[in-house]
Amino acid sequence: MQKVSFFKSIHVKLVLIYVLLIIIALQIIGIYFSKQLETNLKTNFQDSIRQRIELVHYSVREEMLKIRDENTPPSLEDSLKPILQGFSTEDINKINVVDRHDRILATSEDDQAIVGQRINEEIIQQAASSETLLDKISLDRDTGQRIWILAVPIMDNVGSKEDLKGVIYVQSNIEKVYEQLNEINRIFAAGIAVSLAITIILGILVARTITRPISDMRKQAQAMSKGNYARKVRVYGTDEIGQLAIAFNHLTNRLQEAQSTTEAERRKLASVLSNMTDGVIATDRKGKIILINDPALELLHDSRETTLNRPIASVLRLDQEYSFEDLIHMKDPVNLDFSMNDAPYVLRANFSVIQKETGFVNGLITVLHDITEQEKIDMERREFVANVSHELRTPLTTMRSYLEALAEGAWKDENIAPTFLNVTQTETERMIRLVNDLLQLSKMDSQEYELNLEFVEFNKFFTQIIDRFEMSKSQNVEFIRLLPEKSYFVDIDTDKLTQVIDNIISNALKYSPDGGNIRFGFTVHDNMIRVMISDDGMGIPKENVTRIFDRFYRVDRARARSMGGTGLGLAIAREMIEAHGGKIWAESEEGQGTTIFFTLPYELDEAGDWE
């Protein structure tokens, strides 16, 4: 998980929000306090000045309204001077009394040279013309400090109308008010700074109490994402965050239990899928393969890399006949024919839809079965029934024809009757041999037989059988023996192996031409005796060599049947050889003869052990 940067962390955000709120609150309070303080200080200062100016105004007015003789001292200027100087303080820079002609009558300044001079101040002219008190705050041209200028008209009430006598011009030092205000603001700012420092410390502590459990839960979530459920969140209290931590720990326990259950089920499912003999394929809702087990890969002869994320219809080679939607609605199994040349290979696919409770199709499960052997057995069973029916129908049809002829009176003919009876007897014996062979094959298929094993010298055993056929053969066929001089011992059922060799030699004699050869021999390879019986007969076509050991199979059916064969001899031979732990096969070329091979396990023993 990506690491959270310092400025993006919730701890910093909480502290910043907390501090910003305090700063905004203090700013609002400071602005309001400063404005109110400034207003109050200015009002108090101005009220104080006005009160004193009212006294000045009263005294000056009285002096100006006195009736004076020009020769009687003191003059107006001299009488006004002590009045103005008596009211001159630190707050008041200067007081000038100006007559209605803008000439200075008296001043509170030490410099009396300005007395009698004209003063050009706009506020004096405005106050005189409007006959009302005017004031303004301005900057002193000499000191650059703020001063409060006040112009008070001096009126004389004569009858019903007022007459302007002059204007009192006052400059007061209001800069001290602003200096006092700035000092208070500095004290207030220092207090704000101290309070902000305390606020930040408290904010960090408060934010830490909130962010520490959250950070702990974030670490726990990261650990859970990596599969670690052993870690627990520390509970710091019983408030909402503490209850959240308790719930988080409970969630961790439940997730751990769910994970354990899911993992156990996953292992079970993986074990089931891996140990199933059937192939299992799962797809997503679009029909692409998301899961396939090893048996399915073996059945399809494909790899996991080339099958995953491919459409299932393409993998099963059904895309030409069915779409994924068709497979979803498929109720019956589908046979998949992967046969190549003479190698049959058939799979059966059963489809099952994965659906949610809402009915939404979430995927498809396909189960594959290898039914090659089943199909082969079914085909062989059908062929076997057809062959048995054919083999029995031919002699039965022949017997019925001859018996009908005998029943119609042919038995009275001494020349025909014996022939008919002889044919009937021959066909009966043929059917008996067929039934006996079938019974023997049935016992071998059901393994309802036991081998009566004997430890014999194979050289003598094989020679005796060859001698018996050589003595009784009727054709002009030469037997060639290629037997080793060394003795080899085998553990065999002599009756059953005699039947095998008899059947092979009988077939060799049947198909060998006059003047031909039949060769006998055996060799030893890897503790196995490999026996060979070869003839110079008509041979077997290459495409039929592997089928001569099938039941009822004949290369030349008409000739084989005329020679009395049932078509089961080599099939019985294969079953008997395999029961002894060996194998049997044929090599042949059409027109060049046939060679039958079979193997048997042997044990090498010294002749002295038998003396």
Side-chain angles (χ1 to χ4, degrees), residues 293-325:
N293 65 348
D294 293 337
L297 295 174
E298 294 177 2
L299 290 173
L300 294 173
H301 302 299
D302 214 334
S303 63
R304 196 178 304 275
E305 291 76 13
T306 57
T307 53
L308 289 177
N309 296 320
R310 283 182 58 196
I312 188 170
S314 175
V315 173
L316 299 181
R317 302 180 189 176
L318 295 174
D319 47 347
Q320 299 296 328
E321 303 177 25
Y322 304 100
S323 64
F324 179 66
E325 288 74 16

Side-chain angles (χ1 to χ4, degrees), residues 100-236:
R100 56 180 147 182
H101 301 293
D102 297 335
R103 185 173 62 84
I104 298 175
L105 297 176
T107 182
S108 62
E109 294 181 304
D110 296 333
D111 186 10
Q112 296 293 317
I114 64 172
V115 175
Q117 296 180 4
R118 294 179 64 84
I119 184 171
N120 187 19
E121 289 288 345
E122 185 179 358
I123 191 171
I124 295 175
Q125 297 171 1
Q126 291 176 353
S129 62
S130 63
E131 297 180 353
T132 57
L133 186 147
L134 296 177
D135 65 327
K136 69 175 182 178
I137 296 176
S138 181
L139 292 177
D140 192 346
R141 298 186 183 93
D142 297 331
T143 63
Q145 294 181 344
R146 282 169 287 196
I147 56 174
W148 183 46
I149 300 174
L150 188 65
V152 182
I154 303 170
M155 306 299 296
D156 179 18
N157 296 325
V158 180
S160 59
K161 71 178 195 174
E162 295 180 348
D163 185 18
L164 178 68
K165 291 295 184 178
V167 177
I168 298 175
Y169 177 78
V170 182
Q171 287 186 1
S172 59
N173 185 16
I174 201 172
E175 184 68 30
K176 291 183 178 181
V177 174
Y178 288 99
E179 290 177 356
Q180 184 180 6
L181 181 62
N182 290 335
E183 183 65 24
I184 295 173
N185 286 336
R186 282 194 294 272
I187 295 172
F188 186 73
I192 289 177
V194 173
S195 64
L196 278 179
I198 297 173
T199 299
I200 291 173
I201 295 172
L202 292 176
I204 293 173
L205 295 176
V206 172
R208 189 177 181 184
T209 60
I210 298 174
T211 58
R212 181 186 294 175
I214 296 176
S215 178
D216 200 10
M217 283 185 272
R218 181 178 70 90
K219 293 178 181 178
Q220 173 63 11
Q222 292 175 343
M224 289 168 59
S225 66
K226 297 177 181 178
N228 180 14
Y229 297 95
R231 191 178 184 275
K232 301 299 179 184
V233 178
R234 184 178 177 183
V235 180
Y236 292 93

Side-chain angles (χ1 to χ4, degrees), residues 372-389:
T372 304
E373 289 300 323
Q374 181 181 346
E375 288 292 315
K376 185 177 180 181
I377 291 172
D378 290 342
M379 183 179 65
E380 289 178 350
R381 184 182 295 112
R382 291 190 295 269
E383 186 177 349
F384 177 77
V385 172
N387 287 332
V388 170
S389 300

Side-chain angles (χ1 to χ4, degrees), residues 393-410:
R393 184 178 59 185
T394 301
L396 287 173
T397 302
T398 303
M399 290 174 61
R400 185 179 66 178
S401 300
Y402 280 92
L403 290 173
E404 286 176 353
L406 290 172
E408 290 175 358

